[in-house]
Every structure is written in structure tokens, then in C-alpha cells.
Amino acid sequence: MSRLESRREIKRRAALPPDEGEERRRCLVWGCGRPTQRASARGLSHGFCKSHVEFHRRHGSYSRRSYTKAELAPYRKAADKWLRDNNSGPMVLPTIATLQALLDGSGRTVSAYSLRGLDPEDRVRAVLANLRDAGKKGRQLLLITLAVKAATADLGPRGNPEFRHVQISKALHRLASGTHRTTSGFPLKSKYPRAEGNFMRVLGRKVEDIAGIVATPEAVAEVVDLAEALKREVPSAPTSGFGPAR
Ligand SMILES: [Zn+2]
């Protein structure tokens, strides 16, 4: 089945009337109470409402919104310090070199306008190529993975690899955006495609698979400790208002 055909098929099935008893089902997110997608014949999900399916697509979790820049900042700082302190660790430099090879082997840069129609694997390559052309290095990929793993260990949600992968991708995307090329060669930040969808999972998993050799539970625990120490050093840093999103 072609991509277009399968998209049509999904659309058709999404609009089918709910099965017997299905129309009474409610979204599983605590406190939501809206009918599931199937109950309202507005999608395929038997467990979640349309807006929580959308939320999950963007954030990798049904209930936890993506980390803000400010939330992630202390973990990034801590990961940077940890990498400086552990530069001579046996796996650090080889892992950075492998991540660098991932960037170097990503092929030609693709115009931001052409990204939409690409398969997830090709989109992943395109984001990596943009990062490489923007001068980003393997060390930054490792730093982001350490920071995100430390943040999920400290702030949650724990045990949700999908959320982690999306957060790694979002941080990488943020590094690349604003530096991409358009077909005319002029940067056009506002047109950069939104960072959402399946390729975000693929990209995050790919980077985490390599970076995980260094970003072990022990290393992550050390980064969390460093981040906690950093937060104590800056008592004026905002700590409220970042509670889990509904
Ligand atoms: Zn819901």
C-alpha cells in the first residue's frame, strides 16, 4: 500500500462509527473525561481522546508536557561539567567519536521544504546533516542525552523511553533550527518544520543507543547530583510553575 493509500485508509477507519458499547468509553488520562477517539468517531484510539492523542504525538507522553529550556538548563550545565570531569574515562572519547561519525555520515543537507514527504529514517538523516553543517559536534549529542536522562531521572516521567527519545530529539532540533538552509540559501527560521511525529522517536533512540554507553545509570545519577548542587547555588532560579502538565 502506498503512503497516500494508507493515509486514506486511516482516514476512512477513523471516521467509522464506534462499535457496540464503544461510544461510552472515556479517555484514560486522569481527569480528562472526554470521549475516546473511537467513541466520537474522530480517530483510531480506543484509549484516548483526540487532544491527548495529539499531545502524545508532540511530547511522547499522554500527560507530561515537554521540558522547557529553563527546566533542562541545570541538567545541561551539570552534563557539561560531568563531561569535563570525566573526559579521560575509557568510553567517553570513543563514544563522542561514534556520535561524530553519525553526524559525518548523514549525507547531504535537505531543504527544510523537502522534509515533509520524507520517510522517518531520511528525516533523521536530514536533521543530523543540518546539525553537522551547523558545526555541531558529537560531544553535544552526548551532552544532550546525559542532560535528558538526568532530567527524566530527577523530574520524571521515569520508565518512559518514548518521552526520553522525543525530548532528546527536541533538544537536537533546537540546536539545528535557525541554521538550516532553504533552497534559495537564505535562512528562514519560521518555516522550519515542527518537531513532531515518528522521526523524533527514531532520532532520539538512535542517539541514545550510542550515547547510552557513557550515559549509564551511574553517570546519570552523578549528573543529577551535580544539577541539584547547581540549583542550590542559584536560589533565585524559578522552581515553581513547572509542575506536570495536564
Ligand atoms: Zn483526554
Side-chain angles (χ1 to χ4, degrees), residues 164-227:
R164 229 166 43 226
H165 296 153
V166 170
Q167 300 312 306
I168 289 170
S169 278
K170 283 197 180 240
L172 292 174
H173 219 259
R174 227 176 267 152
L175 275 185
S177 64
T179 52
H180 71 285
R181 288 181 200 154
T182 61
T183 38
S184 60
F186 293 106
L188 205 59
K189 196 170 182 174
S190 61
K191 288 285 183 185
Y192 204 79
R194 273 172 77 175
E196 59 179 52
N198 207 18
F199 87 98
M200 299 284 287
R201 277 87 171 153
V202 180
L203 173 62
R205 191 171 56 231
K206 193 166 270 209
V207 170
E208 197 197 70
D209 276 352
I210 301 171
I213 296 166
V214 168
T216 60
E218 296 75 39
V220 168
E222 288 172 18
V223 173
V224 169
D225 286 346
L226 285 169

Side-chain angles (χ1 to χ4, degrees), residues 27 29 32 34 49 51-52:
C27 178
V29 172
C32 174
R34 277 180 287 238
C49 71
S51 85
H52 278 112

